[in-house]
Amino acid sequence: MRQFLSFLWLSLLSISVFSSSAAADSDYHEQLNLRPLPFSGLLASFNFRSNTTVSEFEKGNFRFFPRSLGQILQHAGTRELHLRFSLGRWDAETWGASPWDGAREGGTGVELWAWLEADTDKEADHKWLTLTNALSGLFCASLNFIDGTRTTRPVMSFQPEGDHSTVTNMHLLYGVLPHEVVCTENLTPFLKLLPCKGKAGIATLLDGHKLFDASWQSMAIDIRPICPPGGECVLQIEQTIDMVLDIDRSKRPRGNPIPRPPPGHELPCDASKPYHSHDTCFPVDHAANQEWSLSQIFGKPMKGTCPLTDPAVPPVCLQVPDSRSVFVSGGVREKKNPNHISRCFDIPPSTELEMVLPAPDDVTAQSTVPTDIVTPKSPLLYAERSFTGHGQERGGVQTILRNPSPDTAVDFIYMESLPWFMRIYLHTMEARVAGHSANKSSLIQQVYYRPAVDRARATQLEVRMRVPPASTVFLTYDFEKSILRYTEYPPDANRGFDVAAAVITVLNKGQIQGEGESTTKSGGGGGDGGTTKGGRFAAYTLRTTTLLCSLPTPDFSMPYNVIIFTSTAIALAFGGLFNILVRRFVAADEGPEGGLAMVVGRLKGRLLGLLKGVKGR
Amino acid sequence: MLKLNLQRVVKYVDRLPLFTRLVIVLAVALEMAAVLPWWDIRAWGRLEPDLFNVWTLYRANTYPLIHTDVIHLIVNLFAVTPLVERFEAEYGTLTSLALFFGPLSLLPAVIYVGIERFLLRSNTSIMGASIWGFLLIGMEAIRAHRTTPYLVIRGQPTIPMWTTPIAVLLLTAVLMPGSSFLGHLCGLAVGYICGMGLIKLLAPPAWALRLVEDKLNLRLRVPYYVSMDQVAHGRFGVLPLTTVGAVPTSVLQLRRDPRILKLPPYLSLLCILVGAAWLFLLPLDRYSRRTYISENALLPGQVHTYFGGSDQNVFRAYKHEVNELVGKSNAEFNDKLEPIVKSLGLKTARQNFTYHAAGHTYSGENLYAILQAPRGDATEAIVLVAAWENVKHEVNRNGIPLALTLLRYFKRWSLWSKDIILLLTPDSIAGPQAWVDAYHDAHDTSRVASLPLKSGLLQGAIAIDYAQENRFESVHIVYDGVNGQLPNLDLINSIVNIAGGQMGIGTTLQEMWNHDNGYPDRLRTMLRGMLKQGLGLASGAHSSFIPYHVDAVTLRPFGEGWQDEMAMGRLVEGTFRSLNNLLEHLHQSFFFYLLMQRERFVSIGTYLPSAMLVAANFTIMAIALWMKSGQPATPVEGVTPKAKTETPTTTAERDLFLPLGVVTLIQSLSIIPLYLFNHAPESMLTPLFATFAVINTLLPPALSHLLTHSHTPITPQQYNLIQSFSLLLLGMFLSSLATLNFSLAMITGLLTSPLSFVRPAKTQTARWAVTGLLHAISPTAVLVAGAVCWGVDVTSVLREAAVGWHVCGTYSAVVVWCVWWPAWVAGSVVVLGGRGGGQGNKIKVV
């Protein structure tokens, strides 16, 4: 009885603790969210989160928090850090809103922003340099190339996510490397930061071949201090990997990845066509969402769960309508969520998870809106950016911003950090609503512009805008391309120069909408959205694609060859000859003496004189 | 101080003695003669040990004058000229002639041949004047050795003076890899021997030479002659063009020499002839080059292509779909094709365009789709174009299903680094043009809609023109862009390489269906290419891409063979894989070239001089006429030619106002035909053209009449000035144009070349005869002749020109009406300006 009571007490205690601040108490948890997307896509969101108390952290007691990263943070005085490695583009038209409402998304390449504690700007720059160099080593990325020309200090676009009530002198620095190609060498150190190091749990599914074959993928690291009311402040590290896999492509065996045409009889054909015959086939693929299994998609089944993870959080969730049946391996318990579009799986430790999603029963459904998957939520804003104009002297940038909502205007901040060799003409910047030319002025509400300094600082442009409901806004500006110095061109200069993605931060309109947004987030994004407080700054974040700007490029090889050949010829032949020609040859006794010989000669003369004197005497 | 004194250089060159000049002229002339394709002068004249016998003794005289190439010639002339000049000044012209074409060439040759044949037993042929150079250096060294035996370095007589040539010899052997050490050594050895006194034995007896000199009175007759007796007669017998003893300021005098004005017509005729002949040399092996892949990243034909198998079933189905649509409207087939493209998983969009040209409306709707690179960012893209109709208005029955099937196949690959854009246009000219313009935001939004969907920079475009129904044999590559711009040669080379090397499909260019790679076929291919380039019209769906620096070609299967649609698909697949490899935009290879066979080309450096020479002829004549106009009006009678030569120093005042006014008027009149022919509706084009031809015939006489019958009649000087200004403009326009559109400049230059030589006709009959001849090369006559020659009617030519002007921005019409036509009118006015009999007297009074 006593035992029972104590058990009850303990369990009650634990429940109460969980309910009060679930985020703060569980030290580590991980979760995989799978969501089929239209056109045979599959979104897999991996989320790993661990906490450590600030006091432990400052004492150097690392348990779940990776020591390597922790020491870098301490050394560089970093209070909050966000790092993104991304590849590909999120196709919002097809896939809807991006996971986590874009909060874990980055532009193509590497993106890093951090709040540093420093007294002066100079000190902040110094710490930033330390931070980028250290992270560069840790993640095998060229982060050390984030120098002054690629660093900006955003004013409006970013707000700290954590609690920084105790610190007053914080500096936000933002750097981006659009041309960095994210690959396996970045994934390995990323996995090493995890408590289970990719040996157990959902991280076993992360394989470089599959991850980097994805249509879109984003690896994110977010570190922020969180102070629950009344509790002790904790430092939270959240590692996220989101990827969209093409089911067709992923199901191909690794040994035979070439998409050879299938045998004619395996081709799914539309037999209703009048010309249909054994050698004529109107294909019907891409119409229905196909069946898949976990080991087909990821190349292997999931190996148990990480023993360190919080058992209260189900490690795998799948978002399909309840009507679809899912087969899982034995011992795995399926738990359907009350919203009827997602289910989670509790997996006993050391059990291999295999999951099979069979084709839906009603194969005949040929409608354009598939009913067998969860319809993606449409994002708050669509953005598409492209260059206008042609030629190598000047160009323009055009961003098309579309608000799909029929009744709500969208307020957002559009931020660009442009390289210095794109000299923008700010006076040409204009925003116009497609269709009618009225009320131009009300679209742009506020502009923060920090012009570039040649070879020293990038252009920073932040525009606070509003797009009226159900309308499309064109934001355009012109720029001039400058001519670089011969040595400033990178290798493969004729490819063009990458221009980083624009960051669009849709602002959250007050607390009311914030609450509504947090509920939708848990449905749309997948993971439990309790990481941040209700009144978040950004309701939605999105990035445009990067751009490729072609600058006037010289023909490198020609002057190089000419210079080298002529210099060598001149140096060898004419140098020596010229030397002999212009030198005046004189007899040794005619020329002036110099150096040591002169001193020796004088001494000799003196000595001789002395000797003569002595002799004469 | 090393300061190049130009005047001294001029003076030095001006005073070079006769024999030295002869050597220079001979060497240069032989080098120029080496260009002749039928006579290998180098093989004829060089010193080849094995071929050296009594019958080939001439080689002993020719080998020093022949050089391996121009650089060899220049280096040798620079080295040898001062030495020969010194020798000649010392020994006299006749002695030099006798020695250099006698023992001083023969002796080294004999020694060299002896050593080569009997000691080394090899057969290395030599040529070049450097052997004389070493010979003379050897002589100089021996002479210097007599006065200063040692080179004193730091007070020590270290180096014997006679050894210094050996240092030069070694240096030459090291620095000039092709030079013959042994040949130079032989020359040097003979030089030493001569320096030691042998020269006196070798030289012909002085009395004989003196006899010749005196009998022929060479001293006074021949300029630059160096006499045997320098003490008695001074260095030169006769100084050119001046009285004895005067300072030679011949360069300045040359300007006033009336003879100089006789030269330019010949010079400009020479320019034209050389320029035209140059073209015909280009197809020879020596002047054209084999093509090669310059961009290593392309790796053409290095990948397996997998398109085929059950993709053919899909192709057949798509072909059924397309066949059902033949004859239907543009909107209908877009409505039908868009769902098919969408079902492939691509993003689609449409674009409307409307062009007005020659009274017609060219409108339609482009359908395009973007296959987003699976792991890529929207930074780069390749375009696959399939027009519903090709330029000959045949329906692209196989091309469109093939493009759809290919896109479906491409979608399965994950290796694309660039987006792939499928562009389906209703026609081959206006549709692609509208799309490319809008893609680069260079479009007029009132006529062409903006693109709702865009990708990154376009890196290349391939258009499929596959209207043929049966199996094909080879692929025809169409590469001409608008205004004669061309795609990067690497793209064509890659396709030739993939088709020929990997697929076994032949490739042809410029509709040369059978090409035997002989001279006539090469020339024909090149001339066809030049004609197309000169016309500057769009030749396919790819043409519009090229002005935007997007390299593009059209592939058109032809012939009866065994290649099927899948082979064509694999060719496109291979090309796309190559383009996909590109890290940088295509930039390595040539953008200016003339192709004469699929694997032979000439680059701009080789062909440009011909057009430039033709353009230069106008400028030369313009300058000559300007100078001529500066001379006072020559009185017709009572003046001997002698007196004429005495008064050239005065310059007549030029009356510029009227000539400038006339040229400006004609030039501004040219706007009228340009506007009319580009804006008239098609039905009006033929009457308009006929009217214009009549006016064109009447205009020069009318202008001429106006000029001669105004209250101050026009003078011959003003006619000269009119022609001078007109030719100056023409030369200027054509030389600039040659860098943009070589062929157009060349064709226009050749057609206008007679205008350089027209003069005010003296008699009535000559006037009308020349006018008639000029009419044969007027723009209107050439247009009609061209239309008849190619069997098209004039209206369609004019319509095409108007469409090119309005849709593609072709500027050929500007060249014809604003460059060629004004020059022609000015030329005709000048011809009609001559006065016969009484009128001529009237001018004399003025």
Side-chain angles (χ1 to χ4, degrees):
Chain A
M1 190 63 198
R2 204 182 220 184
Q3 271 184 334
F4 175 70
L5 269 177
S6 65
F7 174 70
L8 195 70
W9 171 241
L10 270 174
S11 58
L12 270 176
L13 189 72
S14 65
I15 286 165
S16 67
V17 167
F18 272 130
S19 56
S20 65
S21 59
D25 220 313
S26 59
D27 278 345
Y28 175 71
H29 85 226
E30 55 180 37
Q31 191 174 45
L32 165 65
N33 255 286
L34 295 166
R35 175 151 65 98
L37 295 172
F39 284 108
S40 74
L42 175 71
L43 170 68
S45 294
F46 294 79
N47 182 251
F48 311 92
R49 190 168 69 202
S50 50
N51 295 332
T52 183
T53 57
V54 171
S55 54
E56 293 266 300
F57 177 74
E58 276 162 3
K59 271 184 261 168
N61 264 340
F62 300 104
R63 189 161 168 249
F64 294 126
F65 200 93
R67 174 185 290 273
S68 50
L69 198 54
Q71 284 173 339
I72 290 171
L73 297 182
Q74 283 176 341
H75 186 64
T78 311
R79 306 293 303 179
E80 185 173 328
L81 175 111
H82 302 274
L83 180 62
R84 304 276 183 273
F85 297 92
S86 312
L87 196 66
R89 71 198 114 166
W90 178 263
D91 183 359
E93 301 275 346
T94 319
W95 301 335
S98 45
W100 315 98
D101 280 333
R104 304 282 178 270
E105 193 186 325
T108 303
V110 180
E111 222 177 294
L112 170 72
W113 68 100
W115 277 267
L116 304 173
E117 195 178 352
D119 293 327
T120 58
D121 279 357
K122 209 173 166 185
E123 194 192 342
D125 283 338
H126 184 72
K127 284 187 168 171
W128 175 249
L129 192 71
T130 315
L131 179 70
T132 53
N133 279 287
L135 289 177
S136 165
L138 187 61
F139 288 104
C140 298
S142 315
L143 281 162
N144 52 328
F145 282 98
I146 299 183
D147 53 4
T149 63
R150 292 171 203 260
T151 305
T152 51
R153 293 161 185 265
V155 175
M156 302 192 281
S157 292
F158 296 102
Q159 291 285 319
E161 289 178 10
D163 278 316
H164 299 285
S165 46
T166 55
V167 194
T168 49
N169 48 353
M170 285 210 308
H171 295 259
L172 165 64
L173 285 99
Y174 172 86
V176 56
L177 286 175
H179 188 38
E180 182 76 4
V181 181
V182 183
C183 202
T184 322
E185 78 262 21
N186 309 115
L187 176 68
T188 313
F190 186 93
L191 290 182
K192 272 193 179 168
L193 299 180
L194 299 173
C196 286
K197 316 262 184 225
K199 305 286 185 211
I202 58 170
T204 53
L205 296 175
L206 286 170
D207 173 28
H209 289 93
K210 294 293 177 187
L211 178 61
F212 297 108
D213 192 41
S215 300
W216 173 82
Q217 66 93 4
S218 176
M219 301 196 292
I221 293 180
D222 297 275
I223 297 166
R224 56 184 162 249
I226 286 177
C227 296
E232 197 194 355
C233 285
V234 294
L235 196 64
Q236 185 179 71
I237 176 168
E238 192 165 359
Q239 287 177 260
T240 315
I241 294 183
D242 295 304
M243 55 179 168
V244 177
L245 291 158
D246 187 294
I247 293 176
D248 282 336
R249 220 156 58 214
S250 300
K251 275 163 72 175
R252 262 176 234 142
R254 192 188 286 184
N256 183 20
I258 294 164
R260 289 190 177 82
H265 58 269
E266 284 178 18
L267 209 60
C269 297
D270 182 358
S272 63
K273 295 280 179 186
Y275 49 75
H276 176 75
S277 72
H278 71 282
D279 68 344
T280 311
C281 168
F282 189 87
V284 287
D285 39 8
H286 287 295
N289 214 287
Q290 290 143 322
E291 70 270 53
W292 50 266
S293 74
L294 207 59
S295 56
Q296 271 180 329
I297 293 287
F298 291 100
K300 53 195 167 190
M302 181 180 144
K303 289 199 194 90
T305 54
C306 180
L308 302 171
T309 188
D310 178 5
V313 181
V316 179
C317 292
L318 175 68
Q319 293 187 22
V320 287
D322 283 354
S323 56
R324 284 189 75 168
S325 49
V326 177
F327 305 119
V328 287
S329 44
V332 177
R333 204 150 46 82
E334 181 181 303
K335 219 166 46 176
K336 281 188 178 154
N337 287 357
N339 58 9
H340 300 297
I341 52 164
S342 75
R343 59 189 89 180
C344 291
F345 302 93
D346 275 328
I347 306 159
S350 69
T351 306
E352 279 204 354
L353 172 71
E354 173 60 303
M355 182 197 294
V356 179
L357 189 75
D361 307 327
D362 48 345
V363 192
T364 50
Q366 294 258 332
S367 60
T368 49
V369 183
T371 50
D372 49 353
I373 59 169
V374 178
T375 315
K377 186 171 70 108
S378 81
L380 293 177
L381 189 74
Y382 293 100
E384 194 187 326
R385 187 179 64 158
S386 60
F387 274 133
T388 61
H390 61 104
Q392 305 206 307
E393 195 187 353
R394 47 178 65 91
V397 173
Q398 168 184 291
T399 313
I400 305 172
L401 301 150
R402 183 159 68 86
N403 181 2
S405 153
D407 48 4
T408 326
V410 173
D411 278 298
F412 62 93
I413 294 163
Y414 176 86
M415 183 185 102
E416 292 227 59
S417 62
L418 302 169
W420 61 265
F421 42 77
M422 276 172 72
R423 297 189 177 127
I424 85 163
Y425 298 132
L426 198 64
H427 72 277
T428 59
M429 188 172 83
E430 66 159 11
R432 60 185 169 83
V433 181
H436 42 88
S437 55
N439 63 4
K440 262 183 200 172
S441 55
S442 67
L443 294 172
I444 296 182
Q445 293 167 333
Q446 201 180 348
V447 176
Y448 178 86
Y449 173 59
R450 195 159 176 255
V453 177
D454 274 4
R455 300 176 175 81
R457 196 172 75 189
T459 307
Q460 183 187 345
L461 178 67
E462 285 179 85
V463 187
R464 191 187 161 119
M465 290 177 69
R466 167 189 290 248
V467 177
S471 56
T472 307
V473 166
F474 290 79
L475 178 71
T476 55
Y477 59 85
D478 294 344
F479 65 89
E480 191 186 64
K481 302 173 179 180
S482 31
I483 296 178
L484 300 189
R485 289 179 190 150
Y486 191 74
T487 49
E488 284 170 343
Y489 287 95
D492 303 322
N494 276 291
R495 177 176 184 268
F497 293 76
D498 291 88
V499 178
V503 182
I504 298 169
T505 316
V506 180
L507 296 177
N508 203 342
K509 280 187 211 148
Q511 199 67 24
I512 307 141
Q513 205 172 338
E515 280 170 8
E517 170 258 342
S518 69
T519 52
T520 52
K521 186 167 56 185
S522 59
D528 60 342
T531 54
T532 50
K533 291 168 291 175
R536 244 178 54 178
F537 166 69
Y540 186 73
T541 314
L542 71 157
R543 307 281 200 279
T544 61
T545 54
T546 56
L547 292 176
L548 203 56
C549 173
S550 64
L551 292 186
T553 332
D555 176 2
F556 293 101
S557 59
M558 207 257 295
Y560 217 68
N561 294 342
V562 172
I563 290 167
I564 287 173
F565 273 117
T566 48
S567 311
T568 314
I570 286 172
L572 277 179
F574 299 101
L577 211 67
F578 188 72
N579 190 8
I580 292 171
L581 281 176
V582 298
R583 181 153 295 174
R584 196 157 59 94
F585 293 101
V586 289
D589 50 342
E590 286 173 28
E593 282 177 298
L596 195 66
M598 190 179 71
V599 178
V600 170
R602 264 187 206 162
L603 278 175
K604 224 183 212 174
R606 288 258 175 93
L607 279 174
L608 280 176
L610 271 176
L611 274 175
K612 263 183 194 164
V614 170
K615 268 186 188 170
R617 205 180 285 170
Chain B
M1 292 299 282
L2 272 180
K3 202 165 152 192
L4 190 68
N5 192 332
L6 197 67
Q7 219 169 351
R8 282 184 63 179
V9 172
V10 168
K11 207 179 266 178
Y12 178 79
V13 172
D14 195 43
R15 296 183 60 160
L16 281 180
L18 187 61
F19 175 70
T20 316
R21 282 170 190 245
L22 184 72
V23 167
I24 296 172
V25 168
L26 272 179
V28 173
L30 286 171
E31 180 64 29
M32 283 165 99
V35 180
L36 302 174
W38 59 86
W39 186 30
D40 191 353
I41 197 155
R42 295 190 174 106
W44 169 79
R46 69 186 172 207
L47 185 63
E48 240 178 300
D50 284 356
L51 292 179
F52 195 69
N53 54 41
V54 179
W55 304 112
T56 57
L57 214 54
Y58 71 90
R59 286 175 188 262
N61 280 330
T62 50
Y63 79 93
L65 295 170
I66 292 170
H67 293 85
T68 52
D69 52 37
V70 179
I71 294 170
H72 186 206
L73 173 76
I74 291 168
V75 169
N76 273 353
L77 283 187
F78 266 102
V80 166
T81 307
L83 293 165
V84 174
E85 187 256 356
R86 208 174 140 93
F87 185 89
E88 191 185 350
E90 193 178 332
Y91 291 91
T93 301
L94 273 186
T95 320
S96 312
L97 192 69
L99 281 175
F100 277 99
F101 284 102
L104 293 192
S105 304
L106 186 66
L107 279 181
V110 170
I111 298 173
Y112 177 76
V113 170
I115 294 174
E116 275 284 301
R117 214 188 272 182
F118 301 112
L119 286 181
L120 300 178
R121 298 191 181 279
S122 63
N123 183 28
T124 315
S125 46
I126 53 167
M127 56 179 118
S130 56
I131 200 152
W132 286 350
F134 277 96
L135 195 148
L136 292 168
I137 290 176
M139 284 174 67
E140 289 286 326
I142 293 291
R143 186 186 311 172
H145 188 74
R146 290 208 178 110
T147 50
T148 43
Y150 289 101
L151 200 62
V152 178
I153 294 173
R154 307 194 65 179
Q156 296 290 319
T158 38
I159 303 171
M161 192 55 114
W162 65 271
T163 57
T164 42
I166 295 175
V168 180
L169 182 72
L170 294 174
L171 206 64
T172 316
V174 171
L175 286 182
M176 313 237 169
S179 66
S180 163
F181 180 73
L182 185 63
H184 291 168
L185 196 66
C186 292
L188 190 59
V190 175
Y192 279 150
I193 296 166
C194 290
M196 285 170 192
L198 190 74
I199 190 106
K200 294 217 171 56
L201 301 176
L202 292 175
W207 58 266
L209 293 175
R210 203 161 288 153
L211 193 72
V212 174
E213 201 177 296
D214 286 343
K215 287 285 173 211
L216 296 174
N217 199 7
L218 291 172
R219 270 199 300 275
L220 297 176
R221 282 193 184 153
V222 186
Y224 305 111
Y225 179 77
V226 182
S227 162
M228 292 288 298
D229 306 309
Q230 291 139 57
V231 188
H233 300 286
R235 195 171 165 215
F236 290 120
V238 185
L239 282 173
L241 303 175
T242 49
T243 48
V244 179
V247 187
T249 51
S250 54
V251 175
L252 285 172
Q253 288 224 319
L254 214 58
R255 212 177 68 176
R256 303 210 184 93
D257 192 347
R259 279 178 290 180
I260 198 82
L261 281 181
K262 296 215 165 57
L263 190 62
Y266 298 105
L267 202 61
S268 78
L269 182 67
L270 188 74
C271 281
I272 295 169
L273 291 180
V274 172
W278 195 295
L279 267 191
F280 291 89
L281 291 179
L282 292 177
L284 293 171
D285 273 349
R286 289 190 58 174
Y287 301 93
S288 56
R289 281 196 269 167
R290 267 188 75 89
T291 56
Y292 55 93
I293 304 282
S294 193
E295 170 67 272
N296 288 324
L298 276 170
L299 297 173
Q302 301 289 305
V303 291
H304 284 289
T305 47
Y306 296 95
F307 184 65
S310 63
D311 285 324
Q312 191 152 18
N313 300 0
V314 179
F315 170 81
R316 288 195 192 101
Y318 286 153
K319 196 173 165 191
H320 278 288
E321 297 284 332
V322 168
N323 276 337
E324 279 171 25
L325 294 170
V326 173
K328 293 201 173 144
S329 75
N330 183 9
E332 271 176 305
F333 68 67
N334 277 353
D335 287 342
K336 183 82 182 172
L337 291 181
E338 189 170 5
I340 296 181
V341 180
K342 267 215 168 94
S343 75
L344 303 179
L346 311 187
K347 300 204 174 315
T348 59
R350 299 191 191 192
Q351 179 210 17
N352 278 308
F353 62 90
T354 311
Y355 287 107
H356 302 283
H360 292 282
T361 302
Y362 296 86
S363 65
E365 191 186 44
N366 290 329
L367 171 68
Y368 69 100
I370 298 181
L371 163 61
Q372 294 187 336
R375 289 171 294 166
D377 209 344
T379 49
E380 294 162 286
I382 321 173
V383 189
L384 182 65
V385 190
W388 187 257
E389 273 181 359
N390 64 13
V391 277
K392 293 177 188 161
H393 303 290
E394 298 162 335
V395 177
N396 202 354
R397 280 169 191 275
N398 282 320
I400 288 178
L402 184 62
L404 293 173
T405 321
L406 272 171
L407 258 286
R408 183 177 173 276
Y409 167 75
F410 288 163
K411 172 78 181 162
R412 300 208 294 263
W413 282 100
S414 64
L415 50 76
W416 301 114
S417 67
K418 299 162 174 49
D419 288 359
I420 294 174
I421 302 178
L422 172 69
L423 174 61
L424 302 172
T425 59
D427 68 339
S428 279
I429 310 256
Q433 185 70 45
W435 189 83
V436 182
D437 282 347
Y439 198 90
H440 294 93
D441 284 271
H443 60 297
D444 174 3
T445 43
S446 63
R447 292 181 302 176
V448 176
S450 298
L451 296 186
L453 196 64
K454 269 166 91 170
S455 177
L457 291 179
L458 303 183
Q459 301 286 354
I462 304 287
I464 305 178
D465 171 10
Y466 194 174
Q468 179 171 331
E469 272 298 344
N470 307 323
R471 297 188 164 213
F472 68 93
E473 182 200 354
S474 300
V475 170
H476 181 216
I477 304 175
V478 191
Y479 58 90
D480 313 270
V482 173
N483 284 328
Q485 287 173 301
L486 302 173
N488 197 289
L489 190 55
D490 265 342
L491 180 64
I492 299 172
N493 289 345
S494 310
I495 294 170
V496 169
N497 198 317
I498 293 167
Q502 197 181 12
M503 317 278 170
I505 305 174
T507 39
T508 51
L509 308 168
Q510 301 296 355
E511 298 175 10
M512 294 290 293
W513 309 126
N514 297 302
H515 197 300
D516 61 2
N517 202 10
Y519 179 87
D521 273 0
R522 283 189 188 176
L523 186 68
R524 210 169 294 144
T525 315
M526 188 186 82
L527 292 180
R528 282 184 184 189
M530 281 181 65
L531 193 69
K532 270 200 174 169
Q533 192 181 27
L535 292 176
L537 296 172
S539 58
H542 67 283
S543 292
S544 338
F545 286 83
I546 296 173
Y548 290 99
H549 198 9
V550 179
D551 302 297
V553 291
T554 293
L555 301 179
R556 196 178 131 207
F558 73 94
E560 296 283 318
W562 51 274
Q563 308 283 1
D564 63 351
E565 308 88 4
M566 294 296 113
M568 181 68 191
R570 280 195 292 276
L571 174 61
V572 177
E573 184 196 352
T575 312
F576 267 61
R577 291 287 299 273
S578 276
L579 287 173
N580 185 50
N581 284 344
L582 280 180
L583 187 62
E584 301 179 75
H585 198 268
L586 276 174
H587 69 283
Q588 289 269 14
S589 195
F590 298 90
F591 285 101
F592 297 94
Y593 52 84
L594 292 176
L595 277 168
M596 39 205 50
Q597 199 248 337
R598 60 170 181 262
E599 283 174 346
R600 276 211 104 78
F601 78 108
V602 279
S603 74
I604 185 165
T606 317
Y607 69 68
L608 191 66
S610 60
M612 283 298 181
L613 279 173
V614 172
N617 111 71
F618 300 114
T619 314
I620 290 171
M621 280 312 291
I623 293 168
L625 285 166
W626 170 262
M627 284 169 70
K628 195 175 173 187
S629 71
Q631 289 179 336
T634 49
V636 175
E637 48 212 88
V639 182
T640 59
K642 203 166 196 176
K644 209 161 71 179
T645 55
E646 279 171 1
T647 53
T649 45
T650 53
T651 307
E653 196 167 329
R654 295 183 179 94
D655 190 3
L656 291 179
F657 179 73
L658 185 71
L660 276 180
V662 170
V663 172
T664 315
L665 174 76
I666 297 174
Q667 207 70 42
S668 47
L669 277 181
S670 67
I671 303 292
I672 297 171
L674 181 68
Y675 181 84
L676 284 180
F677 285 118
N678 281 327
H679 290 85
E682 192 183 354
S683 54
M684 287 295 291
L685 278 175
T686 311
L688 192 70
F689 184 76
T691 320
F692 181 77
V694 172
I695 292 175
N696 193 34
T697 321
L698 297 178
L699 184 67
L703 269 178
S704 179
H705 185 82
L706 211 67
L707 288 172
T708 44
H709 292 84
S710 58
H711 54 95
T712 48
I714 189 163
T715 63
Q717 186 212 43
Q718 285 172 329
Y719 274 119
N720 282 339
L721 286 173
I722 290 177
Q723 202 183 358
S724 169
F725 293 144
S726 154
L727 290 180
L728 195 68
L729 281 178
L730 186 62
M732 210 169 68
F733 285 142
L734 289 186
S735 50
S736 342
L737 184 65
T739 56
L740 297 173
N741 188 345
F742 164 79
S743 306
L744 185 57
M746 186 78 196
I747 294 168
T748 317
L750 287 179
L751 284 170
T752 47
S753 56
L755 297 178
S756 285
F757 305 106
V758 294
R759 292 286 170 275
K762 295 272 173 0
T763 63
Q764 197 77 13
T765 42
R767 189 184 306 164
W768 293 115
V770 175
T771 310
L773 286 177
L774 271 188
H775 266 287
I777 55 152
S778 71
T780 45
V782 171
L783 208 92
V784 172
V788 169
C789 182
W790 275 280
V792 284
D793 56 338
V794 177
T795 317
S796 69
V797 173
L798 290 170
R799 190 192 61 224
E800 287 301 311
V803 170
W805 169 264
H806 285 285
V807 179
C808 312
T810 313
Y811 58 62
S812 307
V814 180
V815 176
V816 170
W817 299 123
C818 300
V819 176
W820 180 5
W821 186 73
W824 181 84
V825 172
S828 302
V829 168
V830 168
V831 167
L832 293 168
R835 294 288 166 277
Q839 287 172 322
N841 288 332
K842 213 159 75 184
I843 286 166
K844 197 181 74 187
V845 176
V846 174

